[in-house]
Amino acid sequence: EFMKGGELFDYVVGEGTLSEEEASGMIRKIMSAVEYMHRQGIVHRDLKPENLLLTEKGPRREVKIIDFGLSKLLGAEVETTQSFLGTRGYLAPEMLVTQVYDKRVDTWALGVLMYECLVGTPPFEVPDSVEETHARIPSGSSATPAISLTSKSCKAGSLHSARRKALAPSLL
């Protein structure tokens, strides 16, 4: 399937930031797909703008998730995993310290994506080492310039380790 709209990454870079209305529409579509994957027992583990393609340029575009090379099939017997892989700026804290994790790591990546769409930059600076990265990721606090209280609350829920434990993509 040819994606005329290119990568979400290129679109956000070209726009600088997205309006809250446009960002919420995009994130809603991505969340719907992630929720479907999770119901099928699939955790993507590498959600990032480069792995999201737009079907076309313009307002009627859809968003497609690609690159399932790092994904994992979890089931009733195996609900967690511990592999350290993915793109560091989108990894949940538990992945950075190689703790056991589950499908909710994708919720963290959704929070990072949401922030990037609204603000135009990553919420956390990605230093050279894993230790530095983990030290710089607070429990959900990052600068949230000029976005609504609803967006701040949604971002905080997905980028806060304790709150994310109970947060499903459909609740974002």
Side-chain angles (χ1 to χ4, degrees):
E1 187 173 6
F2 181 65
M3 300 289 127
K4 298 175 190 171
E7 293 178 358
L8 178 61
F9 176 82
D10 293 329
Y11 181 69
V12 172
V13 168
E15 294 293 311
T17 62
L18 305 184
S19 70
E20 287 193 32
E21 181 180 355
E22 184 176 18
S24 70
M26 291 251 197
I27 296 300
R28 193 174 300 115
K29 291 174 183 182
I30 298 164
M31 283 191 295
S32 175
V34 168
E35 193 168 35
Y36 177 80
M37 290 182 335
H38 288 177
R39 282 195 310 270
Q40 306 310 309
I42 299 167
V43 58
H44 191 280
R45 302 192 300 184
D46 199 26
L47 289 173
K48 59 184 177 180
E50 295 88 343
N51 286 342
L52 299 164
L53 296 182
L54 305 174
T55 56
E56 59 185 78
K57 297 177 185 208
R60 299 182 67 167
R61 69 183 152 256
E62 294 297 323
V63 183
K64 306 276 184 159
I65 300 173
I66 65 165
D67 193 357
F68 286 80
L70 299 180
S71 65
K72 183 159 182 118
L73 184 60
L74 301 176
E77 295 177 21
V78 179
E79 295 182 349
T80 61
T81 189
Q82 195 173 356
S83 307
F84 178 74
L85 44 76
T87 305
R88 195 175 314 147
Y90 300 88
L91 294 179
E94 56 267 39
M95 293 177 84
L96 289 168
V97 294
T98 60
Q99 292 177 344
V100 171
Y101 59 86
D102 61 17
K103 62 189 176 188
R104 289 174 290 195
V105 297
D106 288 341
T107 304
W108 177 275
L110 285 170
V112 174
L113 287 166
M114 181 187 338
Y115 186 94
E116 288 180 337
C117 286
L118 291 168
V119 180
T121 62
F124 309 108
E125 187 178 324
V126 181
D128 295 329
S129 75
V130 173
E131 293 77 20
E132 286 180 285
T133 301
H134 194 290
R136 291 187 185 181
I137 296 177
S139 46
S141 62
S142 61
T144 49
I147 60 175
S148 72
L149 185 57
T150 302
S151 292
K152 286 179 183 179
S153 175
C154 190
K155 185 257 335 165
S158 60
L159 293 180
H160 189 286
S161 296
R163 286 185 223 149
R164 188 170 37 85
K165 297 293 184 203
L167 191 62
S170 61
L171 300 175
L172 282 179

